[in-house]
Amino acid sequence: MFRFQVCFSISAVLLVVGLVSAFRRSKQKNAMTKLLTPLYILIATVFCSASVLLFPVYWEALSAEPLCIFKSIFLSIYHTLCLFFLNGDYTFLTEQVPRTCGFLYNAYTVYIAILFVAAPLLTFSLVLSLFQNIFAMLHLLAGRNRKLYVFSELNPRSLTLAKDLLNKNEKRVVVFTGVSDQGPEENLALAEEARRNKMILLKRDICAIAYEFHSKKKALYFFLLSEDEGKNTTQALSLLNRYKKRENTHLYVQSTNLEGELLLSSAEKGTVEVRRIDPDRSLIDRFLYDSGDELFTTARETENGKLISVVLVGLGRCGSNLLKALSWFCQMDGYHLQITAFDQDPLAEETLRVQCPELLSDQYNGVFRPGEAEYRITIHPGVAVGSQAFADAISQLSDTTWVFVALGDDAKNIETAAYLRMLFARSHNTPKIKAIVQSGEKKNALHGLKNFQGQAYEIDFIGDLDSAWSENTVLNSELREKALNIHFRYGKQSDSEEGPSEEMESEEEKRKKAELAALEKKKLEETFRNYEYNYRSSIASAIHEKARITRGIPGAGKTEKEMSPEEKQHLAELEHKRWNVYMRSEGYVFGEPRDDLAKVHPLLVHYDELGEDDKGKDTRIVTS
């Protein structure tokens, strides 16, 4: 009797511990390892519980035989295995349980009956799971001759991007790795939606799957989009080490911290293109590229030209990145820029001054000189939305043309945008108001928002998942190509350095020249792909180039031969003026010699102070 009581208690404890462990594991968001999924934990739990529960049964039946303990151990394990394959003998087991204690007999036999049902169900679940994974791998192999997009994690952001990729081209193959068939209801819903969109779901980690089977002629894209940026970086380094020699391979890593930037910039990339995804920066780049012209069209006429007056509410990552981007984007002929920013953090201004010392210095900020960038940035730190100080400051900004709200929370952004519309309406001012709202449902519900009198709030909500995590925003295919073209122009030799005219060259000289040009172009593409400094700078230049063309700046969009000397020089001066502010927004200061580790650059000077070679670089950048 005592043996049955002890084994029953131990078995019950094992079962409870296993159920709790499986439940807690299912709640974890991180991708699960192969041996620690909830299903495997449950199988191990039931196996151990059943083995312990059946041990005294066999001990009772074999008590008269020699070595009965060892035989009982192995037979209890054997019978447990039989349970998982519908081959258990319930009658034999129950007959060995003592009936002297009715409660123990009933509990023991009911417990055995439960295990008789649970064990084969777990077996069927495991078999079904294995078949699903096999079918998914077969599906993956069938798409070896199509573009392959592999995601490290299934979450709302990655699923939104994947759906947009398939909407643009349904022949693409999309794979999610690290997907478990257990877990929170939200994760299961995401998995079901992915299956409906004919996406492949694999349980294994993105680094544990071999992609060598995929055709080398077709592009292979990896997307590491976990909220855990450290995990993203670790996976990126592992994939780079494995596929750095594979052509036509692209690696996108969500990473906003300096650690990720340093690790990825120093890693040997080979032929793989690596791109860090900063969601806030990507959103701003895309907004300026697609809709930035409205900053100029809404500018107010003044005695000294047109004024772009921007109010920024919130200087978190998104707000501060926008402030920096506007400082160089709005450098355009005939326009002046004024930015007024608010943040409840009392150290907001000090933080920005440390990040961009020259951008906010008295030497440049609010100082208007011919040939220099024109902007005035005023920051109000320690001012909370809804305070009297905030309301008073807004009431004095009668010339505001554009407002951006980024407080890091959808509800706060919506409420603040509506509050600002009220404040500006009191002063009979109707600036454009943009507010970040990540929820697509909220954005759609707020479209055309009006009050009870039917008056439109005229607030645009941006930054929802569909726009922030789309192919255009993340991959930036068109913008990237234009930026790469600008990088080629920058590194290209000037015509005066290219040697004799083509008419005077022999066929051999032309061939060698073409080979050298192809080699130089390859080197330039590698520097664009491998160094984020070059990528960011060229992206900014491409965004501004589109704005110059849209604004109709004389010479913009023309080739060097089509430009007049005056247009050529004027565009080069404008580009250098923009570049100066861009570099200062990146934290660079003037100094000699150039030191990118210290962010010191000797060319942060007026255009007239440049040498002819450096002036030529500005000229090449502004030619199509």
Side-chain angles (χ1 to χ4, degrees), residues 85-152:
F85 296 96
L86 290 173
N87 196 27
D89 188 344
Y90 180 76
T91 302
F92 166 75
L93 297 176
T94 56
E95 286 178 349
Q96 307 305 317
V97 181
R99 297 173 181 267
T100 54
C101 180
F103 174 77
L104 178 63
Y105 175 80
N106 292 331
Y108 222 96
T109 53
V110 170
Y111 194 179
I112 292 175
I114 292 174
L115 294 178
F116 261 75
V117 175
L121 286 178
L122 290 172
T123 302
F124 293 147
S125 298
L126 178 61
V127 172
L128 181 61
S129 173
L130 292 175
F131 271 111
Q132 286 178 341
N133 217 36
I134 291 172
F135 289 143
M137 289 300 297
L138 291 175
H139 188 185
L140 182 59
L141 289 169
R144 69 178 302 274
N145 290 312
R146 291 186 282 172
K147 287 185 177 181
L148 179 61
Y149 299 81
V150 186
F151 292 81
S152 66

Side-chain angles (χ1 to χ4, degrees), residues 219-289:
L220 173 58
Y221 292 84
F222 294 108
F223 295 93
L224 309 178
L225 305 180
S226 171
E227 292 182 359
D228 184 347
E229 294 191 0
K231 175 184 173 183
N232 292 340
T233 304
T234 301
Q235 290 176 328
L237 295 175
S238 176
L239 290 170
L240 278 174
N241 184 56
R242 187 170 178 178
Y243 298 103
K244 59 188 175 186
K245 294 183 180 180
R246 188 189 186 280
E247 301 283 349
N248 213 5
T249 304
H250 310 266
L251 181 60
Y252 289 83
V253 187
Q254 183 175 339
S255 171
T256 59
N257 55 41
L258 182 59
E259 178 195 30
E261 181 178 352
L262 294 176
L263 287 172
L264 292 175
S265 63
S266 62
E268 184 181 350
K269 303 175 185 65
T271 57
V272 178
E273 179 178 13
V274 179
R275 186 63 49 224
R276 288 174 65 243
I277 300 176
D278 183 333
D280 296 322
R281 190 158 188 156
S282 296
L283 176 64
I284 292 167
D285 286 346
R286 198 72 225 174
F287 172 75
L288 293 178
Y289 185 73

Side-chain angles (χ1 to χ4, degrees), residues 383-414:
V383 177
V385 174
S387 66
Q388 189 61 51
F390 180 78
D392 291 343
I394 293 295
S395 66
Q396 297 175 20
L397 300 174
S398 59
D399 55 0
T400 301
T401 59
W402 201 80
V403 179
F404 187 88
V405 183
L407 294 172
D409 178 82
D410 283 359
K412 290 181 180 179
N413 291 340
I414 295 169

Side-chain angles (χ1 to χ4, degrees), residues 228-381:
D228 184 347
E229 294 191 0
K231 175 184 173 183
N232 292 340
T233 304
T234 301
Q235 290 176 328
L237 295 175
S238 176
L239 290 170
L240 278 174
N241 184 56
R242 187 170 178 178
Y243 298 103
K244 59 188 175 186
K245 294 183 180 180
R246 188 189 186 280
E247 301 283 349
N248 213 5
T249 304
H250 310 266
L251 181 60
Y252 289 83
V253 187
Q254 183 175 339
S255 171
T256 59
N257 55 41
L258 182 59
E259 178 195 30
E261 181 178 352
L262 294 176
L263 287 172
L264 292 175
S265 63
S266 62
E268 184 181 350
K269 303 175 185 65
T271 57
V272 178
E273 179 178 13
V274 179
R275 186 63 49 224
R276 288 174 65 243
I277 300 176
D278 183 333
D280 296 322
R281 190 158 188 156
S282 296
L283 176 64
I284 292 167
D285 286 346
R286 198 72 225 174
F287 172 75
L288 293 178
Y289 185 73
D290 290 338
S291 309
D293 189 59
E294 70 179 76
L295 286 158
F296 301 103
T297 58
T298 57
R300 292 185 184 275
E301 292 282 357
T302 67
E303 295 180 357
N304 300 319
K306 294 184 177 180
L307 174 66
I308 300 173
S309 180
V310 179
V311 169
L312 294 181
V313 182
L315 285 175
R317 284 192 53 80
C318 193
S320 59
N321 277 328
L322 181 64
L323 182 147
K324 297 172 187 178
L326 290 175
S327 66
W328 55 260
F329 178 79
C330 294
Q331 299 306 314
M332 199 70 68
D333 293 340
Y335 291 88
H336 308 282
L337 173 64
Q338 176 179 296
I339 300 177
T340 306
F342 297 87
D343 196 280
Q344 65 179 2
D345 182 0
L347 298 178
E349 182 176 11
E350 183 178 331
T351 300
L352 272 174
R353 285 187 180 276
V354 171
Q355 293 175 359
C356 318
E358 281 199 356
L359 181 69
L360 296 178
S361 71
D362 295 337
Q363 184 180 357
Y364 301 104
N365 185 19
V367 178
F368 304 109
R369 292 194 299 267
E372 292 284 359
E374 299 184 8
Y375 64 89
R376 183 186 300 278
I377 299 174
T378 304
I379 299 176
H380 296 271

